[in-house]
Amino acid sequence: MVLSNVEIHKAFDDGRLIIDPEPSPRKPTADNPDCPYDTTSVDLRLGYTLSIPRSGAYCYDLTQPGIAKFLSQNSDEVKIDLKGGYKLGPREFVLGKTLEHVSIPIRENTPALAGRVEGKSSFARCGLLVHFTAPTIHAGFEGTLTLEIIILGNTGIVFMPGMKICQLILEEVSGTPFPNPSQFQGQSKPSGTKS
């Protein structure tokens, strides 16, 4: 069952969902019509850093553990310029992260939540893919969300920190799952490592 914006607010209030800072306003107002809540999702914003994989002769061995450490060692972290942004060209790939820290705790006798991160349709129409092939945010996850970003269109796109970059869709999980944290649990960098 996908949560409506009203149910997302209830999940904040009862502690089943924690997003820090909490997206606001909860409803559009005359003074602030830019509400981050669609009917069944909440917008999340791009953080201040990108991780750019280096070109080279190395090769990912996805059968080995420790991809977060490998990515960290073979990528350059770049702070996005606050005035000019970061221009990503066609067919270029970077890892970004959400400005928001997301926590979806598992608690006994309380229905757990899981999430999906999706791009925004307006960006997709410009050829931008955000968080492709791996949208699932498992129950029990805690950390910033890493975004796999690539432009499939023919023109570049300028990214600014704080821009709405993706949307989080939340669903109720049937039954209480046992915790099984991934290597990305608690991540704070786009590579998946902790600070």
Side-chain angles (χ1 to χ4, degrees):
M1 175 182 69
V2 173
L3 269 59
S4 70
N5 49 18
V6 172
E7 292 301 313
I8 292 171
H9 297 161
K10 287 180 184 176
F12 283 136
D13 295 340
D14 67 20
R16 291 194 301 155
L17 172 65
I18 302 161
I19 300 179
D20 186 29
E22 182 180 315
S24 65
R26 285 193 175 188
K27 291 184 178 179
T29 64
D31 292 338
N32 196 351
D34 189 24
C35 177
Y37 298 92
D38 205 333
T39 55
T40 55
S41 68
V42 57
D43 289 334
L44 299 179
R45 299 168 296 162
L46 183 63
Y48 292 92
T49 59
L50 298 172
S51 182
I52 303 170
R54 293 186 199 115
S55 297
Y58 66 88
C59 186
Y60 297 122
D61 182 351
L62 298 178
T63 64
Q64 298 300 310
I67 191 69
K69 182 178 177 184
F70 182 84
L71 288 171
S72 180
Q73 293 171 341
N74 293 285
S75 300
D76 295 312
E77 191 171 295
V78 174
K79 290 196 181 297
I80 303 173
D81 183 73
L82 296 177
K83 292 183 181 176
Y86 181 87
K87 182 180 178 185
L88 188 66
R91 287 158 292 288
E92 290 183 345
F93 172 76
V94 297
L95 295 174
K97 70 172 191 168
T98 57
L99 186 63
E100 293 84 6
H101 185 276
V102 176
S103 179
I104 309 176
I106 298 172
R107 300 183 308 186
E108 284 295 323
N109 303 317
T110 304
L113 299 176
R116 284 183 286 133
V117 175
E118 302 288 351
K120 297 182 66 60
S121 62
S122 55
F123 294 165
R125 293 170 197 212
C126 298
L128 176 66
L129 293 183
V130 175
H131 209 71
F132 53 94
T133 78
T136 305
I137 309 302
H138 293 284
F141 176 82
E142 179 268 323
T144 56
L145 304 181
T146 294
L147 307 170
E148 301 90 10
I149 301 170
I150 191 168
I151 298 175
L152 297 182
N154 295 322
T155 59
I157 295 176
V158 176
F159 293 91
M160 297 297 293
M163 70 185 281
K164 292 178 182 177
I165 190 71
C166 63
Q167 54 189 327
L168 179 62
I169 299 164
L170 293 144
E171 300 174 272
E172 196 167 285
V173 176
S174 178
T176 302
F178 61 85
N180 186 14
S182 77
Q183 64 179 315
F184 302 121
Q185 181 75 354
Q187 68 186 6
S188 61
K189 295 191 174 201
S191 62
T193 58
K194 302 164 185 65
S195 294

